[in-house]
Amino acid sequence: MTPTTRTTAAVAALMLGLASSAATAQSAPPISGGTSGGVAGAGVSASTYGSGTTDGSSLGVTGGGAATAEGGEARTDSRARLNRRLAMQRSTATARTDDEIARSRTRTMVRNGEEVRSRTTSMYRDRDGGPPVRESTCSRSTEAGTVVTDCRGPY
């Protein structure tokens, strides 16, 4: 009997902010948005999240994930990068056993003063030979508001 491997992590929730030079006396109203999602089976689960915000003079992005596998392997990863105009963040979580696999990915992009876009895709597959179960959520936030879709069409 193999020992139960269980890994749960809120991976590298990374909050980054840049303040640009105060060239304008007024800053725009804040724009915030993000997505999250996950899947679970009998012995595996994986979930990720990502969010961002901007007001024209600063921007920030955060994200992370969690994965659990009973008697298998679980991994998570989160990375971010930014400059004065753009912040990007990516999180992945994967859980695998001999019979199941669950994976979730989130990518969030913030354009300073313009928009916050985020996409989360999740997949679960059981080794019974059937097709994988997939879920997707996309969001786009601007000054006009937030639109959330299933990623199948323009938004």
Side-chain angles (χ1 to χ4, degrees):
M1 181 176 185
T2 61
T4 302
T5 303
R6 188 170 190 185
T7 306
T8 304
V11 173
L14 181 58
M15 182 54 125
L16 300 172
L18 279 180
S20 63
S21 61
T24 58
Q26 265 183 351
S27 64
I31 301 168
S32 297
T35 57
S36 64
V39 290
V44 296
S45 67
S47 62
T48 56
Y49 67 93
S51 64
T53 187
T54 180
D55 63 3
S57 63
S58 65
L59 62 136
V61 67
T62 187
T68 304
E70 293 181 15
E73 174 184 335
R75 289 179 295 171
T76 56
D77 182 46
S78 187
R79 299 173 189 215
R81 61 185 174 147
L82 74 152
N83 58 36
R84 293 196 180 278
R85 293 177 293 176
L86 183 69
M88 293 176 29
Q89 188 276 332
R90 177 186 58 86
S91 295
T92 60
T94 304
R96 179 184 307 248
T97 66
D98 291 339
D99 297 327
E100 301 173 286
I101 184 169
R103 178 173 47 225
S104 183
R105 300 176 184 170
T106 299
R107 181 173 182 244
T108 304
M109 183 172 62
V110 180
R111 292 189 186 278
N112 197 9
E114 296 177 23
E115 68 181 3
V116 176
R117 286 183 182 243
S118 189
R119 176 185 183 120
T120 297
T121 58
S122 300
M123 182 275 300
Y124 170 78
R125 173 180 270 168
D126 193 353
R127 303 246 177 167
D128 66 358
V133 175
R134 299 180 190 269
E135 299 174 1
S136 296
T137 304
C138 290
S139 75
R140 179 175 182 246
S141 301
T142 62
E143 287 183 13
T146 300
V147 176
V148 178
T149 67
D150 62 359
C151 306
R152 295 187 184 185
Y155 59 99

